[in-house]
Amino acid sequence: MAHHLARSLLLLTALDLSGCAAFSPDSGMTAVSDLTNQTINKDVAFVRSAEGTEAVKATVRRLLSRPLSADAAVQVALLNNKGLQAAYNELALAETDLVEQSLPPNPVFSISRISGNGASEIERQVVGDILALATLPFRSDIARERFRQAQLRAALATLRLAADVRRAYVRVVAGNEMVALLTDAKATADSTAQLAVKLGETGSLNKLDQARELVFYAETTADLATARQAATSAREKLARLMGLWDGGLDFHLPDQLPPLPRRPQALPSIEIDAVAHRIDLQIARLELTALAKALNLTEATRFVTLLDLAGISRRTRDPESAPFRERGFDLQFQIPIFDGGEVRVRQAAETYNLAFNRLTERAVNVRSEARDAYRIYRSSYDIASHYQREILPLRKIITEEMQLRFSSMQVDIFALLTEARQRLASLRGAIDAKQKFFLAQSELQTAVNGGGAPASGGDNSTTVAAAAPADGGH
């Protein structure tokens, strides 16, 4: 009987091993790469070898050797950011969990020897967890859902990094454009201030008018210092996101943001697209599926949480009699007298309900975020294009007319400088409006595909739900 039981345990183990998951060559990165390529048309790489490191360095050097575009900055970050590589390491760890959950429990072999007064007894046992073997297909299925979630989380981390890089790129280029504008304005204000001082010394300019011209120079100087600080910080953030080290800060950026597109995007079905494509929603849906399977498993095993079967072979040697051998089996199971599994079932059910409500809340928020992102995108486009089509051309006409009148001595120098200050304000407004448009464009993409900052009750809800054991508490 013991031999039959041992053979049965080994046979069950062999059958289960035939359906075990194995490690993939790329640790699940194919799904991440495909999703990233479809969403933002960029390449990703999980660097795990010296050859891969050298290939990434060569690509990064090539991209940094010419003026950096927003797309090139994103590509550098996706290849070179070590935080993203750490997210891919987490995906590889998730695959180890998948493989582990798909393996049947190892049988336990024990041997004992007892002797005394010339007699001895040797006992051997092979113990197998029958319950774990019986529930292995269900646990493996749940583990696959968890691994798919891990792949989506890695893709989400990739999209978040890409979105952060685009925002940082827009801010640093707009900051440099503002610094250039204020540098020219400061030079003009400096000349004006010197002229005001000289006119004041001759008595041609009263103290009030002197102060007005001097304060313009002082304010422009302060604004330039603030703009330089903001541009420097934005450049440092972009360098951090791209994972650059030491001399990598030598990358070159364009002098100004690209021109506005001829017309804004028309997205009549943006809510549907967002609900269909948002990665955080896909993660929450997979979490709900995994918890539903865990709940079914918990309900199926609520009364039995321990079921071990052992094959026993015992050999006894006694000086007064001939040696003899005994065979048998040992079955252990838990009697549900005090705990009938109701607590575990209730926990699994409430965890499922929690995840369901979080998913519903997230879906409502995603639709609202998509609508809001599109409204901001359209309004920021209208404002920026209004500056380009209306305000700046009118300011140019005013400047030209004022210069003509100054040449014919119809207006004095201070009227011309007053107009220059007003034109400076319009140019600053135009730069700010264009920056807000490109930031809104980036936010629109993240609202549809995911990649924005974690929202309250969004990804955290998935984490809370994921805290429930995959096997329903076993």
Side-chain angles (χ1 to χ4, degrees):
M1 175 66 74
H3 286 299
H4 288 306
L5 290 172
R7 283 197 296 269
S8 298
L9 288 173
L10 293 174
L11 179 61
L12 283 172
T13 301
L15 290 174
D16 285 316
L17 280 172
S18 63
C20 291
F23 288 107
S24 60
D26 61 350
S27 299
M29 280 296 297
T30 298
V32 178
S33 179
D34 291 344
L35 188 56
T36 304
N37 187 267
Q38 294 169 8
T39 305
I40 59 176
N41 194 26
K42 291 291 177 290
D43 298 325
V44 296
F46 186 15
V47 182
R48 292 186 293 179
S49 65
E51 294 79 6
T53 301
E54 290 302 320
V56 165
K57 287 182 178 179
T59 303
V60 170
R61 283 194 298 268
R62 176 176 55 81
L63 292 172
L64 295 177
S65 64
R66 50 181 180 263
L68 204 62
S69 64
D71 287 337
V74 170
Q75 187 61 79
V76 169
L78 296 187
L79 296 176
N80 203 46
N81 185 283
K82 298 306 179 185
L84 185 61
Q85 293 297 312
Y88 296 159
N89 290 132
E90 291 179 354
L91 174 59
L93 288 173
E95 188 180 42
T96 64
D97 293 335
L98 168 63
V99 174
E100 181 182 28
Q101 290 297 323
S102 68
L103 294 173
N106 291 324
V108 178
F109 176 75
S110 66
I111 182 170
S112 61
R113 183 177 184 277
I114 302 174
S115 61
N117 296 328
S120 64
E121 182 179 275
I122 299 175
E123 181 177 288
R124 293 178 290 270
Q125 291 189 36
V126 178
V127 184
D129 189 341
I130 303 301
L131 183 63
L133 286 172
T135 59
L136 181 61
F138 303 98
R139 291 186 290 109
S140 298
D141 198 17
I142 294 171
R144 290 187 186 91
E145 298 290 344
R146 301 290 190 200
F147 180 61
R148 176 59 180 158
Q149 281 182 280
Q151 289 178 309
L152 291 177
R153 286 195 181 95
L156 185 60
T158 304
L159 295 185
R160 279 181 178 159
L161 177 62
D164 288 342
V165 171
R166 287 190 182 277
R167 286 190 286 264
Y169 180 89
V170 169
R171 290 190 175 101
V172 68
V173 175
N176 291 340
E177 191 173 354
M178 188 69 74
V179 167
L181 176 65
L182 290 174
T183 300
D184 292 340
K186 181 176 178 293
T188 302
D190 187 17
S191 301
T192 305
Q194 293 178 15
L195 177 61
V197 170
K198 291 178 180 179
L199 291 176
E201 292 173 351
T202 62
S204 301
L205 192 66
N206 60 46
K207 192 173 183 179
L208 176 60
D209 291 334
Q210 286 186 65
R212 285 173 177 167
E213 301 307 324
L214 291 174
V215 78
F216 174 56
Y217 172 74
E219 288 175 347
T220 304
T221 301
D223 290 345
L224 177 58
T226 303
R228 282 175 174 165
Q229 178 184 4
T232 302
S233 296
R235 186 181 180 89
E236 286 289 351
K237 182 174 182 180
L238 180 60
R240 290 197 301 270
L241 292 172
M242 292 192 296
L244 300 182
W245 184 279
D246 294 340
L249 297 178
D250 295 336
F251 59 89
H252 303 288
L253 294 171
D255 296 330
Q256 58 185 8
L257 292 170
L260 295 174
R262 288 189 174 183
R263 59 182 62 88
Q265 299 180 58
L267 300 174
S269 59
I270 186 172
E271 296 176 49
I272 299 174
D273 294 339
V275 172
H277 298 110
R278 279 284 287 260
I279 295 182
D280 51 352
L281 275 183
Q282 296 180 45
I283 293 173
R285 293 188 191 104
L286 286 174
E287 178 65 23
L288 197 65
T289 301
L291 288 174
K293 294 177 180 179
L295 176 59
N296 292 335
L297 179 58
T298 302
E299 291 176 340
T301 60
R302 62 178 300 178
F303 296 112
V304 180
T305 59
L306 174 65
L307 182 59
D308 290 344
L309 180 63
I312 303 173
S313 175
R314 181 181 302 158
R315 177 181 176 82
T316 304
R317 186 187 299 274
D318 192 330
E320 300 180 357
S321 61
F324 61 94
R325 185 185 298 274
E326 299 172 297
R327 297 182 179 88
F329 69 92
D330 177 47
L331 180 65
Q332 296 184 22
F333 60 90
Q334 188 179 69
I335 302 175
I337 297 177
F338 304 106
D339 182 5
E342 182 178 355
V343 174
R344 289 180 290 107
V345 172
R346 180 66 63 88
Q347 288 175 339
E350 291 304 323
T351 302
Y352 175 84
N353 292 333
L354 183 150
F356 175 80
N357 289 324
R358 292 297 191 191
L359 172 59
T360 305
E361 178 197 29
R362 188 78 215 119
V364 171
N365 292 344
V366 162
R367 291 174 65 91
S368 176
E369 290 168 7
R371 293 193 301 267
D372 190 45
Y374 186 69
R375 279 194 292 265
I376 294 175
Y377 165 79
R378 282 304 307 267
S379 63
S380 62
Y381 177 84
D382 293 339
I383 294 171
S385 61
H386 181 69
Y387 268 96
Q388 301 296 324
R389 293 194 315 266
E390 303 291 339
I391 297 177
L392 295 185
L394 289 173
R395 278 295 172 195
K396 182 180 179 182
I397 293 173
I398 293 172
T399 299
E400 292 173 350
E401 291 297 321
M402 288 293 291
Q403 288 175 346
L404 289 175
R405 283 164 174 74
F406 176 73
S407 299
S408 61
M409 301 183 68
Q410 297 180 31
V411 296
D412 59 13
I413 182 64
F414 296 106
L416 188 63
L417 293 174
T418 299
E419 190 282 326
R421 288 197 291 268
Q422 295 172 346
R423 183 170 183 268
L424 173 63
S426 297
L427 290 172
R428 293 179 68 175
I431 294 174
D432 185 61
K434 187 187 285 189
Q435 173 181 287
K436 288 180 178 178
F437 166 73
F438 282 107
L439 291 175
Q441 188 179 54
S442 176
E443 293 298 333
L444 180 63
Q445 186 178 37
T446 62
V448 175
N449 298 314
S456 177
D459 289 345
N460 291 339
S461 64
T462 305
T463 303
V464 172
D471 57 356
H474 304 291

